Amino acid sequence: MSENLVSATQRQLGATVEVGPIAFGCWRFTGASDADNARLVAGALDLGINLVDNADVYGLDWGGAGFGACEEALGRVFRLDPSLRDRIALATKGGIIPGVPYNSSAKYLIEACEHSLRRMSVEHVELYQVHRPDVFTHPDEVATAFSSLHDRGLVLMFGVSNYTPAQTRALLARAHVPLVSTQPEFSCAELTAMRDGTLDLCIETGITPLAWSPLAGGRVISGEGLNAALIAVLDEIAEREKVSRAAVAVAFVLAHPADVVAIVGTQDLQHLAEITMATSVHLTRADAYRIVEASDGVKLP
Ligand SMILES: NC(=O)c1ccc[n+]([C@@H]2O[C@H](COP(=O)([O-])OP(=O)(O)OC[C@H]3O[C@@H](n4cnc5c(N)ncnc54)[C@H](OP(=O)(O)O)[C@@H]3O)[C@@H](O)[C@H]2O)c1
């Protein structure tokens, strides 16, 4: 049997929490009813997904009712079926304020997190992430917010998102409580994280990469703006592996040695089931490099 780069193992989030290689994202969590939303979350958990990624800004688009709406929707799901909360490693984010645009001051982050917990009807979250870097806040101040939230039992662990490797390293050096994850965009159509040091820093420090938009927000399916050669390679592998194109694209994300978690955004249980087949896909090194070259549209030297 030829080598297989795809890692389907559980990922470690900090010292105590294990999460699956595929996570459920709530950016588009704007389903028609609370019962539909509860079915979706329960269906995701039944497929072996246990990390759920939300943010206070989710709800501003995708038909949401505004800032906080996707956290509120998840809160209603937890009230409908309280058993779901205990099966989830719950993550959310704060630090984006439409109009400013970013605020990571200690006062703001602490209040934002308190509001998030209230909206989701939970006592604590496993992971609280700074959504985007506020370059006008010193990392010591972010670290102060983290310590306060951690010491009050509101947050178990912390993460960053859309941080450069240098920004993450600076915060890692100043944080007194566990900083365990970084959330970059990463997919076969967006390879920057494996070239700018983001995924290398994860390997170096042991923090867990949570890849957002692993299907490039659906463009891997529509083909919009992607090289036709990339779609052709994904489809050829999909036929060989007897899975969907989406599953091959997610398998590519799981093939990086940083042991990436792919946060998928589909709100369709059938699509979710197809995607979880990614863990059974066999990708050789030759497959992975064919995908990279097709994505770049040029041969590697
Ligand atoms: N940190 C950040 O700045 C940031 C930014 C963006 C996203 N995120 C996180 O990443 C998560 C995922 O982002 P994303 O929604 O852009 O992810 P994605 O998985 O790349 O794209 C999901 C989109 O693809 C569509 N799609 C079409 N055909 C599909 C198929 N066959 N299988 C699966 N999906 C298909 C989905 O529609 P259907 O629902 O119809 O399947 C959905 O609209 C978000 O929910 C959020 O948690 C974080």
Side-chain angles (χ1 to χ4, degrees):
M1 188 86 162
S2 57
E3 65 178 344
N4 180 16
L5 301 188
V6 180
S7 163
T9 58
Q10 296 287 294
R11 275 52 168 159
Q12 199 66 35
L13 202 54
T16 53
V17 175
E18 272 197 356
V19 296
I22 297 172
F24 177 76
C26 293
W27 178 24
R28 308 169 200 265
F29 192 60
T30 53
S33 73
D34 295 341
D36 285 350
N37 286 342
R39 261 192 299 278
L40 183 57
V41 172
L45 293 172
D46 291 344
L47 287 167
I49 289 171
N50 71 329
L51 175 62
V52 173
D53 180 65
N54 215 326
D56 56 12
V57 289
Y58 294 170
L60 282 176
D61 47 13
W62 293 99
F67 189 95
C70 294
E71 288 185 332
E72 281 167 5
L74 193 60
R76 289 194 300 276
V77 164
F78 291 153
R79 291 199 293 278
L80 207 58
D81 183 350
S83 72
L84 294 176
R85 166 63 182 109
D86 298 337
R87 299 168 65 193
I88 289 174
L90 184 58
T92 196
K93 316 179 203 76
I96 298 181
I97 323 170
V100 172
Y102 312 131
N103 191 344
S104 288
S105 65
K107 181 175 182 310
Y108 179 78
L109 278 186
I110 290 167
E111 285 175 6
C113 181
E114 290 168 349
H115 290 312
S116 288
L117 299 191
R118 211 164 300 132
R119 280 191 289 263
M120 293 191 290
S121 296
V122 295
E123 304 278 312
H124 76 282
V125 286
E126 276 68 29
L127 184 70
Y128 191 71
Q129 304 155 98
V130 180
H131 204 152
R132 285 187 180 273
D134 169 10
V135 295
F136 295 104
T137 297
H138 193 285
D140 279 346
E141 181 145 357
V142 180
T144 299
F146 285 2
S147 292
S148 165
L149 292 165
H150 182 265
D151 294 351
R152 291 165 60 205
L154 303 183
V155 177
L156 188 63
M157 296 175 291
F158 297 85
V160 292
S161 178
N162 303 300
Y163 267 46
T164 66
Q167 289 166 338
T168 308
R169 197 185 285 280
L171 186 55
L172 268 173
R174 314 299 281 205
H176 306 292
V177 291
L179 172 56
V180 301
S181 66
T182 185
Q183 189 176 136
E185 182 175 12
F186 180 51
S187 69
C188 58
E190 176 46 74
L191 301 173
T192 305
M194 69 179 205
R195 290 174 165 154
D196 72 354
T198 299
L199 297 183
D200 302 306
L201 183 66
C202 291
I203 292 172
E204 179 187 335
T205 61
I207 66 177
T208 305
L210 310 175
W212 62 261
S213 293
L215 298 179
R219 289 187 301 119
V220 166
I221 306 303
S222 68
E224 187 194 328
L226 266 60
N227 287 329
L230 175 58
I231 301 297
V233 174
L234 294 173
D235 284 349
E236 187 192 311
I237 298 171
E239 196 175 333
R240 183 191 78 203
E241 296 292 310
K242 300 184 177 48
V243 296
S244 67
R245 185 195 301 165
V248 175
V250 170
F252 173 80
V253 169
L254 305 185
H256 192 279
D259 271 353
V260 181
V261 174
I263 310 176
V264 300
T266 182
Q267 304 294 301
D268 176 319
L269 259 184
Q270 184 55 41
H271 286 168
L272 208 50
E274 285 169 18
I275 284 173
T276 55
M277 297 299 289
T279 56
S280 66
V281 169
H282 196 96
L283 282 190
T284 65
R285 200 171 304 272
D287 291 331
Y289 277 112
R290 281 185 71 204
I291 291 171
V292 168
E293 289 188 326
S295 177
D296 288 343
V298 286
K299 286 270 176 211
L300 288 163

mmCIF file of all heavy atoms in Angstrom, residues 4 21 42 46 81 126 133 139 162 190 227:
data_model
loop_
_atom_site.group_PDB
_atom_site.id
_atom_site.type_symbol
_atom_site.label_atom_id
_atom_site.label_comp_id
_atom_site.label_asym_id
_atom_site.label_seq_id
_atom_site.Cartn_x
_atom_site.Cartn_y
_atom_site.Cartn_z
ATOM 1 N N ASN A 4 0.152 7.285 2.841
ATOM 2 C CA ASN A 4 -1.049 8.119 2.925
ATOM 3 C C ASN A 4 -0.752 9.308 3.832
ATOM 4 O O ASN A 4 -0.441 9.132 5.012
ATOM 5 C CB ASN A 4 -2.222 7.304 3.496
ATOM 6 C CG ASN A 4 -3.489 8.132 3.597
ATOM 7 O OD1 ASN A 4 -3.589 9.203 2.984
ATOM 8 N ND2 ASN A 4 -4.448 7.642 4.359
ATOM 9 N N PRO A 21 -10.831 15.773 13.577
ATOM 10 C CA PRO A 21 -10.126 16.514 12.529
ATOM 11 C C PRO A 21 -11.045 17.426 11.708
ATOM 12 O O PRO A 21 -10.564 18.280 10.965
ATOM 13 C CB PRO A 21 -9.532 15.408 11.652
ATOM 14 C CG PRO A 21 -10.369 14.199 11.913
ATOM 15 C CD PRO A 21 -10.867 14.328 13.319
ATOM 16 N N ALA A 42 -26.999 18.173 16.175
ATOM 17 C CA ALA A 42 -27.009 16.776 16.633
ATOM 18 C C ALA A 42 -26.458 15.867 15.531
ATOM 19 O O ALA A 42 -25.688 14.932 15.809
ATOM 20 C CB ALA A 42 -28.423 16.357 17.015
ATOM 21 N N ASP A 46 -23.250 13.390 15.707
ATOM 22 C CA ASP A 46 -23.376 11.957 15.391
ATOM 23 C C ASP A 46 -22.362 11.523 14.335
ATOM 24 O O ASP A 46 -22.011 10.343 14.252
ATOM 25 C CB ASP A 46 -24.801 11.634 14.931
ATOM 26 C CG ASP A 46 -25.797 11.752 16.082
ATOM 27 O OD1 ASP A 46 -25.362 11.777 17.255
ATOM 28 O OD2 ASP A 46 -27.014 11.840 15.813
ATOM 29 N N ASP A 81 -32.183 21.413 23.668
ATOM 30 C CA ASP A 81 -31.622 20.097 24.001
ATOM 31 C C ASP A 81 -30.311 20.291 24.776
ATOM 32 O O ASP A 81 -29.222 20.282 24.190
ATOM 33 C CB ASP A 81 -31.368 19.287 22.718
ATOM 34 C CG ASP A 81 -30.853 17.884 23.035
ATOM 35 O OD1 ASP A 81 -30.518 17.613 24.209
ATOM 36 O OD2 ASP A 81 -30.768 17.065 22.102
ATOM 37 N N GLU A 126 -14.858 26.317 25.913
ATOM 38 C CA GLU A 126 -13.563 25.636 25.947
ATOM 39 C C GLU A 126 -12.492 26.536 25.306
ATOM 40 O O GLU A 126 -11.342 26.534 25.735
ATOM 41 C CB GLU A 126 -13.635 24.300 25.194
ATOM 42 C CG GLU A 126 -14.177 23.151 26.030
ATOM 43 C CD GLU A 126 -15.653 23.284 26.389
ATOM 44 O OE1 GLU A 126 -16.410 23.913 25.615
ATOM 45 O OE2 GLU A 126 -16.063 22.795 27.464
ATOM 46 N N PRO A 133 -6.370 40.380 14.476
ATOM 47 C CA PRO A 133 -5.424 41.125 15.313
ATOM 48 C C PRO A 133 -5.751 42.616 15.354
ATOM 49 O O PRO A 133 -5.986 43.232 14.315
ATOM 50 C CB PRO A 133 -4.077 40.876 14.618
ATOM 51 C CG PRO A 133 -4.414 40.491 13.211
ATOM 52 C CD PRO A 133 -5.740 39.801 13.270
ATOM 53 N N PRO A 139 0.277 43.085 23.214
ATOM 54 C CA PRO A 139 -0.058 41.710 23.626
ATOM 55 C C PRO A 139 -0.236 41.553 25.129
ATOM 56 O O PRO A 139 -1.013 40.700 25.574
ATOM 57 C CB PRO A 139 1.121 40.871 23.122
ATOM 58 C CG PRO A 139 1.860 41.707 22.157
ATOM 59 C CD PRO A 139 1.450 43.140 22.323
ATOM 60 N N ASN A 162 -6.410 34.724 12.222
ATOM 61 C CA ASN A 162 -5.916 35.695 11.229
ATOM 62 C C ASN A 162 -4.701 36.471 11.734
ATOM 63 O O ASN A 162 -4.432 37.571 11.256
ATOM 64 C CB ASN A 162 -7.040 36.660 10.794
ATOM 65 C CG ASN A 162 -8.233 35.915 10.242
ATOM 66 O OD1 ASN A 162 -8.111 35.193 9.263
ATOM 67 N ND2 ASN A 162 -9.396 36.046 10.876
ATOM 68 N N GLU A 190 -6.211 28.166 -1.239
ATOM 69 C CA GLU A 190 -5.583 29.259 -0.464
ATOM 70 C C GLU A 190 -4.477 28.658 0.395
ATOM 71 O O GLU A 190 -4.724 28.178 1.498
ATOM 72 C CB GLU A 190 -6.649 29.958 0.393
ATOM 73 C CG GLU A 190 -6.112 31.044 1.303
ATOM 74 C CD GLU A 190 -5.136 31.999 0.629
ATOM 75 O OE1 GLU A 190 -5.575 32.839 -0.167
ATOM 76 O OE2 GLU A 190 -3.915 31.896 0.889
ATOM 77 N N ASN A 227 -8.380 27.659 -10.712
ATOM 78 C CA ASN A 227 -7.830 27.065 -11.931
ATOM 79 C C ASN A 227 -8.625 25.808 -12.287
ATOM 80 O O ASN A 227 -8.878 24.969 -11.416
ATOM 81 C CB ASN A 227 -6.363 26.673 -11.716
ATOM 82 C CG ASN A 227 -5.465 27.893 -11.661
ATOM 83 O OD1 ASN A 227 -5.760 28.904 -12.303
ATOM 84 N ND2 ASN A 227 -4.385 27.808 -10.902
#
